[in-house]
Amino acid sequence: LPDVFIKAMPVLQTLEDAGFEAYFVGGSVRDLLLDRHVHDVDITTSAYPEEVKELFAKSIDTGIRHGTVTVLYGGESYEITTFRTESGYQDYRRPDHVTFVQNLDEDLKRRDFTINALAMDLHGQIVDLFNGVEDLKNHIIRAVGDPEKRFHEDALRMMRAVRFTSQLKFNLEEKTEQAIKDNHELLKKISVERIREEFVKMGIGPHSRQAFQIFLDTQLSEDVPDFAGKKELLQIYPQLQFSPTLETSLWSLIIILLKLPDEDISKFMRDWKNSNAMTEQVERIIKFFDLISDHTPNDYELFQAGERTIINTIDVAHILGQPVASEALVDRYLALPIKKPAELAIDGRFLIKHGMRPGAELGHTLNKIRELVVSSRLENSPDAIEKYLEDLD
Ligand code: ATP
Ligand code: MG
């Protein structure tokens, strides 16, 4: 048994000793049986949140209304969720109300797919109400119960289904797939943040090409912001191999591929509720991508782009099947005399001391000096720069 489970055993034991039931559940059990790396374990229990809190010295009320308490134990943190059902699904979204229940079966029924509805107790005993183990063996994503009904309860599950095909290299079970085709419009009800999270996971999964094809074939793509009516453009996705190393989680790609004008890029980033930092990074990559598509960058252009943008842009170019002389670019960048503006031997104050007045002219001179230093035409030392200034006069 992997360490993550061993380390968590005392937590389950504590719950059991107090007379409660406790199980590992969901993704961690699935990934254990698949021999995939398990990063964290989720625990489900018959104990109420208040009861969980009483049993452990340190805990955080993560989502106490939904039954989740985070327990800090042995230097790790564990999400412990009380057995619950969900009710009152409104508007095809996750329910606001949960009802705590006293048995595991009820809890497993509310879960999305058979492979995610597995539980395991302290002794390694698996609880498998819906033949999830069989589906794991056959590499099948199958909704728990009636897929139609389950997607009406929470339409995000359709995106999750497709995301899991990418992550696990699994196929959709026929009825589950048909229900997605029949109900894809329901995705419109789901917040873009939740869709984005699944979309990113879909893109970085090892089976992303097939997943993108399913995303298009089921028409889910029509119900995602800014993708409607762009099927032909999007059809390029299944032909690409996405790079899990791409730091931007493929946002830049989408935009480059859509070949949007600048205003639409901003609109896309806004509509998808990306952070300003992400938007800025994407815009830098696009700018540098256009630049290297046009000409070999000079030293100052490499300096202005910066290492992070250079590396991400090389990644994007590679994915697009337009490889650039990537090592050369990175090596050239690393060999630059200075790599950040702050590494310049002088600053604005130095120029003022040498008789310049604050203003646009000064900024211009500073930029010029920086450019000369970066391109090795001027030594990065106060003396050399002073001499340069004297020669200017
Ligand atoms: P990952 O490896 O991405 O973490 P996961 O299966 O653990 O995959 P989570 O989003 O962390 O996915 O959810 C944990 C568990 O909660 C799932 O395995 C599933 O049992 C249940 N679950 C999550 N989202 C839903 C949903 N929208 N509807 C029903 N059950 C869900
Ligand atoms: Mg998880």
Side-chain angles (χ1 to χ4, degrees), residues 27-28 30 39-40 42 201:
S28 61
R30 175 197 70 216
H39 38 93
D40 53 9
D42 291 323
K201 287 182 178 170

PDB file of all heavy atoms in Angstrom, residues 27-28 30 39-40 42 201, ligand 2:
ATOM      1  N   GLY A  27     -11.355   9.274  -5.808  1.00  0.00           N
ATOM      2  CA  GLY A  27     -10.196   9.223  -6.696  1.00  0.00           C
ATOM      3  C   GLY A  27      -9.008   8.440  -6.150  1.00  0.00           C
ATOM      4  O   GLY A  27      -8.301   7.778  -6.916  1.00  0.00           O
ATOM      5  N   SER A  28      -8.805   8.501  -4.826  1.00  0.00           N
ATOM      6  CA  SER A  28      -7.615   7.828  -4.287  1.00  0.00           C
ATOM      7  C   SER A  28      -7.738   6.309  -4.394  1.00  0.00           C
ATOM      8  O   SER A  28      -6.759   5.625  -4.706  1.00  0.00           O
ATOM      9  CB  SER A  28      -7.379   8.245  -2.830  1.00  0.00           C
ATOM     10  OG  SER A  28      -8.468   7.885  -2.015  1.00  0.00           O
ATOM     11  N   ARG A  30      -9.663   4.719  -6.588  1.00  0.00           N
ATOM     12  CA  ARG A  30      -9.591   4.461  -8.036  1.00  0.00           C
ATOM     13  C   ARG A  30      -8.130   4.387  -8.495  1.00  0.00           C
ATOM     14  O   ARG A  30      -7.713   3.426  -9.137  1.00  0.00           O
ATOM     15  CB  ARG A  30     -10.318   5.602  -8.773  1.00  0.00           C
ATOM     16  CG  ARG A  30     -10.231   5.547 -10.288  1.00  0.00           C
ATOM     17  CD  ARG A  30     -10.602   6.905 -10.896  1.00  0.00           C
ATOM     18  NE  ARG A  30      -9.558   7.892 -10.613  1.00  0.00           N
ATOM     19  CZ  ARG A  30      -9.775   9.167 -10.371  1.00  0.00           C
ATOM     20  NH1 ARG A  30     -11.000   9.660 -10.343  1.00  0.00           N
ATOM     21  NH2 ARG A  30      -8.770   9.993 -10.120  1.00  0.00           N
ATOM     22  N   HIS A  39      -1.883  11.278  -4.979  1.00  0.00           N
ATOM     23  CA  HIS A  39      -1.290  12.445  -4.305  1.00  0.00           C
ATOM     24  C   HIS A  39      -1.924  12.720  -2.952  1.00  0.00           C
ATOM     25  O   HIS A  39      -1.261  13.115  -2.011  1.00  0.00           O
ATOM     26  CB  HIS A  39      -1.289  13.684  -5.189  1.00  0.00           C
ATOM     27  CG  HIS A  39      -2.529  13.817  -6.040  1.00  0.00           C
ATOM     28  ND1 HIS A  39      -3.613  14.528  -5.652  1.00  0.00           N
ATOM     29  CD2 HIS A  39      -2.832  13.261  -7.253  1.00  0.00           C
ATOM     30  CE1 HIS A  39      -4.548  14.443  -6.594  1.00  0.00           C
ATOM     31  NE2 HIS A  39      -4.099  13.684  -7.571  1.00  0.00           N
ATOM     32  N   ASP A  40      -3.235  12.512  -2.857  1.00  0.00           N
ATOM     33  CA  ASP A  40      -3.863  12.685  -1.543  1.00  0.00           C
ATOM     34  C   ASP A  40      -5.067  11.760  -1.414  1.00  0.00           C
ATOM     35  O   ASP A  40      -5.598  11.290  -2.419  1.00  0.00           O
ATOM     36  CB  ASP A  40      -4.264  14.142  -1.294  1.00  0.00           C
ATOM     37  CG  ASP A  40      -5.106  14.697  -2.420  1.00  0.00           C
ATOM     38  OD1 ASP A  40      -5.514  13.913  -3.306  1.00  0.00           O
ATOM     39  OD2 ASP A  40      -5.368  15.902  -2.425  1.00  0.00           O
ATOM     40  N   ASP A  42      -8.946  11.037   0.132  1.00  0.00           N
ATOM     41  CA  ASP A  42     -10.160  11.596   0.717  1.00  0.00           C
ATOM     42  C   ASP A  42     -10.755  10.538   1.633  1.00  0.00           C
ATOM     43  O   ASP A  42     -10.700   9.346   1.339  1.00  0.00           O
ATOM     44  CB  ASP A  42     -11.172  11.958  -0.369  1.00  0.00           C
ATOM     45  CG  ASP A  42     -10.700  13.146  -1.191  1.00  0.00           C
ATOM     46  OD1 ASP A  42     -10.087  14.058  -0.610  1.00  0.00           O
ATOM     47  OD2 ASP A  42     -10.926  13.151  -2.413  1.00  0.00           O
ATOM     48  N   LYS A 201      -7.635  20.155 -17.046  1.00  0.00           N
ATOM     49  CA  LYS A 201      -7.251  18.765 -16.764  1.00  0.00           C
ATOM     50  C   LYS A 201      -7.372  17.906 -18.014  1.00  0.00           C
ATOM     51  O   LYS A 201      -6.567  17.011 -18.247  1.00  0.00           O
ATOM     52  CB  LYS A 201      -8.106  18.191 -15.629  1.00  0.00           C
ATOM     53  CG  LYS A 201      -7.728  18.772 -14.275  1.00  0.00           C
ATOM     54  CD  LYS A 201      -8.531  18.174 -13.143  1.00  0.00           C
ATOM     55  CE  LYS A 201      -8.066  18.752 -11.806  1.00  0.00           C
ATOM     56  NZ  LYS A 201      -8.966  18.374 -10.696  1.00  0.00           N
TER      57      LYS A 201
HETATM   58 MG    MG B   2      -9.293  14.422  -5.917  1.00  0.00          MG
END
